[in-house]
Amino acid sequence: MSRPKLNMIEETHLRVHSRLEELVAVQTWFRALVSQLAEKSPWLDDCFDQLNLALAEGFTNAVRHAHANLPGNTPIDIELELQHRQLEIRIFDQGEPFDPNSLSEPKPGTLREGGYGWFLLRRLADQVTYNRVLSKTVNSDPEQSSTHPVKQRNCLRIVKTANIM
């Protein structure tokens, strides 16, 4: 896997299929990015494990829940943006939206199978939002029309800010 090229704002993108097996590629991509970015932003090394877990949780939730009834080749787009002391991860899925406020937090000391993902994400990151967004699709085939249809997707946004004094 080649090193991703980043702009001055340090932004990059990954598209994978909606399969749990893709998590290895997602985490390999993320590890390479953080290794590269940590040269300029060493604080990323300190929170790598938290961010990696948040990314894994967000990606697997998109596969298991948002894309549960969609074909395995449905794309999931992941964007990463680093601005000075803040890292933002955006995970875009094409499933039906849900209202995270409708989820009830598990009571301490109770065990249940599943249902902890959203609450885990909120504890790993400084900000977590989930909403429906309009976006242009990017056509990778230059032979096809240059018009880019607009479609709705869901965006899970995970933000971590440097804890530097």
Side-chain angles (χ1 to χ4, degrees), residues 38-102:
E39 294 171 11
K40 292 181 183 176
S41 301
W43 64 271
L44 287 171
D45 278 335
D46 295 336
C47 58
F48 172 79
D49 291 333
Q50 290 176 318
L51 289 166
N52 191 43
L53 182 56
L55 173 62
E57 188 62 39
F59 173 77
T60 58
N61 280 348
V63 172
R64 288 185 177 137
H65 301 293
H67 288 191
N69 298 317
L70 298 175
N73 64 348
T74 304
I76 293 177
D77 292 300
I78 303 170
E79 296 176 355
L80 185 140
E81 182 178 325
L82 177 66
Q83 291 188 22
H84 190 51
R85 293 183 176 183
Q86 179 175 294
L87 181 74
E88 184 172 322
I89 300 169
R90 293 179 295 272
I91 302 171
F92 295 92
D93 72 67
Q94 298 177 35
E96 290 298 316
F98 83 103
D99 178 8
N101 296 322
S102 69

Side-chain angles (χ1 to χ4, degrees), residues 4-17:
K5 296 208 185 303
L6 297 171
N7 303 327
M8 290 300 288
I9 285 185
E10 311 291 354
E11 189 172 349
T12 191
H13 171 263
L14 176 70
R15 174 173 278 180
V16 293
H17 289 133

Side-chain angles (χ1 to χ4, degrees), residues 18-160:
S18 184
R19 296 186 182 110
L20 289 176
E21 300 82 36
E22 295 278 11
L23 180 58
V24 173
V26 169
Q27 290 185 302
T28 301
W29 169 80
F30 185 65
R31 180 174 301 281
L33 280 170
V34 169
S35 294
Q36 179 183 355
L37 293 171
E39 294 171 11
K40 292 181 183 176
S41 301
W43 64 271
L44 287 171
D45 278 335
D46 295 336
C47 58
F48 172 79
D49 291 333
Q50 290 176 318
L51 289 166
N52 191 43
L53 182 56
L55 173 62
E57 188 62 39
F59 173 77
T60 58
N61 280 348
V63 172
R64 288 185 177 137
H65 301 293
H67 288 191
N69 298 317
L70 298 175
N73 64 348
T74 304
I76 293 177
D77 292 300
I78 303 170
E79 296 176 355
L80 185 140
E81 182 178 325
L82 177 66
Q83 291 188 22
H84 190 51
R85 293 183 176 183
Q86 179 175 294
L87 181 74
E88 184 172 322
I89 300 169
R90 293 179 295 272
I91 302 171
F92 295 92
D93 72 67
Q94 298 177 35
E96 290 298 316
F98 83 103
D99 178 8
N101 296 322
S102 69
L103 300 174
S104 61
E105 186 162 1
K107 294 191 185 330
T110 60
L111 293 178
R112 70 181 197 195
E113 190 173 319
Y116 293 95
W118 182 253
F119 307 103
L120 178 61
L121 278 170
R122 289 176 48 202
R123 283 166 179 76
L124 292 169
D126 296 319
Q127 294 176 31
V128 179
T129 58
Y130 178 84
N131 54 24
R132 195 83 160 152
V133 296
L134 293 176
S135 60
K136 288 185 177 183
T137 56
V138 177
N139 193 342
S140 59
D141 185 357
E143 299 292 318
Q144 292 187 357
S145 168
S146 63
T147 60
H148 300 290
V150 174
K151 67 179 187 175
Q152 289 191 337
R153 301 187 298 170
N154 303 307
C155 178
L156 172 64
R157 184 174 165 265
I158 302 165
V159 177
K160 189 72 172 176

